[in-house]
Amino acid sequence: MRKFLALLMLLMISMNSTAGLVNAEADDPVLTSEAAVLMDTQSGAILFGKNAEVKMYPASLTKIATAIYAIETASLDEIVDVSEEIEKIDGTRVYLNPGEQVSLRKLIQGMLINSGNDASLAIAIHLDGSMDTYSKNINEFLKTNIGVEDTHFVNPHGLFDENHYTTAKDLGLILNYAMNNPDFREIFGTKQLEWDGESWDTTILSHHRMLKGEIPYEGVTGGKTGFVDQSKQTLATTADNGKLKLTAILLKSEYKRKIYEDTIKLFDYGFAAFKSSQIRKGETFTSGNLKFKASEDLLVTEPVEKGKRIVDKDGILRIQNGKGEIIQAIELKPLIGKKPEAKTETAPEPKQSGLLSVNTILGVVVLVGAAGVWMVNRKQKKSRRFRSR
């Protein structure tokens, strides 16, 4: 009997230990890349960061910005006359010829899928005429339309220049913004494409090993690689598990294998620890005696466990994780109460004032007094008449 009880207790301890492991919060991922950010693609919530606001060299991740800038400022059906300047370009190419006529869409495909530096340069010169004008315009576009704060680009391809820099956070913002555009999403998620050029007929392939399936990961929807000596390996990837959409940016990894391992760690962490929720238009929140509401349907990202929604006196809704860290902040609108509707009931008669009541009493007293005098006079008259008889 004692042996049975001892075995039973050991079994219960084992079960409790297992349950504790299942319910434990996911630990922050440990990365080898020098900088990183994990964001919700739709809500923009920052779910993890490592040196996310440190200025870094992005290499070919620059082409994400070039692509969305071109898509939103020109027609994809425009025909581009390839500039002679493309002959001077270094690095990866799609082997364009000077004077070759190519649609803007095809150039963006060659730039994002095969990382063609010549395609990038042809796009920039077509849009703005020179590198100086291109640099001025794309930086203004990124700041005004997307809200980046620590980015400055001097070229469209990402070849090294000490004045060409960004941050993991800014690249996440740029990629999230671009993913709202269906043309960008399609090209960014393309694994291969038949390329028919004047001097190069081939099938171009994405360089992103997770997107191609060489490194299996379910739900990858797009990706871009980058490398120059100064930036080392850089990688941008998007993924969707059907419930949550994630954006991962990794910068400055010494080894290509390691940067993919870091990306997988970020996605595993994000999909396990967070969920996407919707706040409906008109939903109300309170802060003390103050009330606020959502002015539109909103997507928020919340921890699967131990998350909190906190609203301050200014109507800022903050989503916190179990550590008290803010992962998203949303501005709500003050809730203005409705004016009371007019009543159809008959209003009660106004009360008499105190002065009116006193006057009424005095009037009654005077009347009673007069009646009394009249009665006395009448009795006296009767008495005299009686005595006269």
Side-chain angles (χ1 to χ4, degrees):
M1 183 66 178
R2 289 180 179 178
K3 290 182 178 180
F4 174 78
L5 291 173
L7 287 172
L8 182 60
M9 289 184 68
L10 285 172
L11 179 60
M12 291 176 67
I13 292 171
S14 176
M15 290 175 65
N16 287 335
S17 299
T18 304
L21 289 174
V22 172
N23 294 326
E25 284 188 292
D27 294 329
D28 287 349
V30 179
L31 309 178
T32 60
S33 300
E34 192 165 315
V37 73
L38 177 69
M39 302 173 74
D40 185 313
T41 310
Q42 295 176 289
S43 74
I46 297 177
L47 311 180
F48 176 84
K50 176 184 178 182
N51 298 325
E53 297 183 6
V54 175
K55 292 179 181 178
M56 309 284 286
Y57 301 125
S60 283
L61 301 194
T62 303
K63 291 165 183 169
I64 295 170
T66 302
I68 191 59
Y69 171 62
I71 290 170
E72 293 203 352
T73 56
S75 169
L76 294 179
D77 296 327
E78 287 180 15
I79 300 301
V80 178
D81 292 320
V82 177
S83 169
E84 293 183 0
E85 293 184 46
I86 56 102
E87 290 188 310
K88 304 173 185 177
I89 201 72
D90 294 325
T92 310
R93 304 168 63 97
V94 288
Y95 301 100
L96 298 169
N97 290 333
E100 183 176 352
Q101 292 189 323
V102 188
S103 72
L104 182 59
R105 178 186 292 274
K106 185 174 180 179
L107 288 177
I108 294 173
Q109 290 170 329
M111 174 180 68
L112 282 183
I113 300 169
N114 199 62
S115 204
N117 290 337
D118 51 353
S120 306
L121 185 57
I123 290 169
I125 293 174
H126 171 72
L127 294 177
D128 295 314
S130 69
M131 285 299 95
D132 287 342
T133 305
Y134 167 82
S135 177
K136 177 175 180 265
N137 289 347
I138 193 170
N139 287 318
E140 182 64 26
F141 172 86
L142 296 175
K143 182 177 180 180
T144 302
N145 292 45
I146 304 177
V148 301
E149 297 179 349
D150 299 299
T151 294
H152 184 262
F153 289 156
V154 298
N155 64 57
H157 37 64
L159 291 175
F160 177 72
D161 187 300
E162 63 180 6
N163 294 315
H164 187 94
Y165 56 81
T166 186
T167 67
K169 178 183 175 181
D170 277 3
L171 280 174
L173 292 173
I174 293 168
L175 182 50
N176 280 357
Y177 177 89
M179 288 296 286
N180 286 317
N181 185 287
D183 292 310
F184 177 90
R185 285 200 307 272
E186 178 188 355
I187 300 172
F188 191 66
T190 300
K191 301 176 183 179
Q192 64 180 50
L193 180 74
E194 297 302 315
W195 185 268
D196 183 13
E198 282 188 0
S199 62
W200 200 40
D201 291 335
T202 187
T203 300
I204 60 174
L205 302 173
S206 170
H207 297 176
H208 197 292
R209 298 181 65 191
M210 290 174 69
L211 180 61
K212 289 190 293 183
E214 293 176 0
I215 298 177
Y217 195 91
E218 188 175 355
V220 172
T221 57
K224 182 75 191 76
T225 63
F227 177 84
V228 293
D229 290 338
Q230 296 82 355
S231 70
K232 304 302 181 185
Q233 300 289 337
T234 63
L235 195 67
T237 316
T238 55
D240 179 0
N241 71 349
K243 298 178 181 178
L244 186 65
K245 296 181 180 181
L246 296 177
T247 294
I249 304 291
L250 282 300
L251 299 177
K252 202 168 187 181
S253 175
E254 291 288 339
Y255 304 103
K256 187 178 291 186
R257 174 176 58 85
K258 289 293 186 181
I259 205 167
Y260 283 107
E261 289 177 0
D262 284 350
T263 299
I264 291 172
K265 287 179 182 178
L266 286 180
F267 283 153
D268 284 348
Y269 167 75
F271 286 133
F274 298 94
K275 63 182 180 180
S276 182
S277 303
Q278 189 171 45
I279 294 176
R280 295 291 184 183
K281 179 179 179 180
E283 187 172 339
T284 59
F285 301 84
T286 60
S287 176
N289 295 326
L290 302 174
K291 290 188 176 182
F292 303 90
K293 68 177 179 178
S295 59
E296 58 185 344
D297 289 341
L298 299 168
L299 279 176
V300 296
T301 314
E302 300 182 282
V304 172
E305 296 181 356
K306 299 182 180 179
K308 290 183 180 180
R309 294 181 179 184
I310 299 175
V311 180
D312 66 17
K313 62 182 179 59
D314 297 317
I316 304 300
L317 169 64
R318 290 181 170 85
I319 310 298
Q320 290 186 353
N321 61 19
K323 301 175 184 178
E325 299 167 334
I326 298 169
I327 61 175
Q328 191 176 2
I330 299 170
E331 183 177 358
L332 303 172
K333 298 296 182 183
L335 182 63
I336 301 174
K338 295 182 179 180
K339 293 182 179 179
E341 297 180 0
K343 295 183 178 180
T344 57
E345 297 177 3
T346 304
E349 294 183 3
K351 295 181 180 180
Q352 294 180 335
S353 67
L355 181 60
L356 180 60
S357 299
V358 171
N359 290 338
T360 303
I361 294 170
L362 290 174
V364 172
V365 170
V366 170
L367 287 174
V368 171
V373 171
W374 179 80
M375 290 292 291
V376 170
N377 290 335
R378 185 179 180 188
K379 286 181 178 180
Q380 289 177 349
K381 287 180 180 180
K382 284 183 177 181
S383 177
R384 285 195 297 267
R385 193 179 306 126
F386 178 77
R387 286 195 299 266
S388 66
R389 289 179 181 178

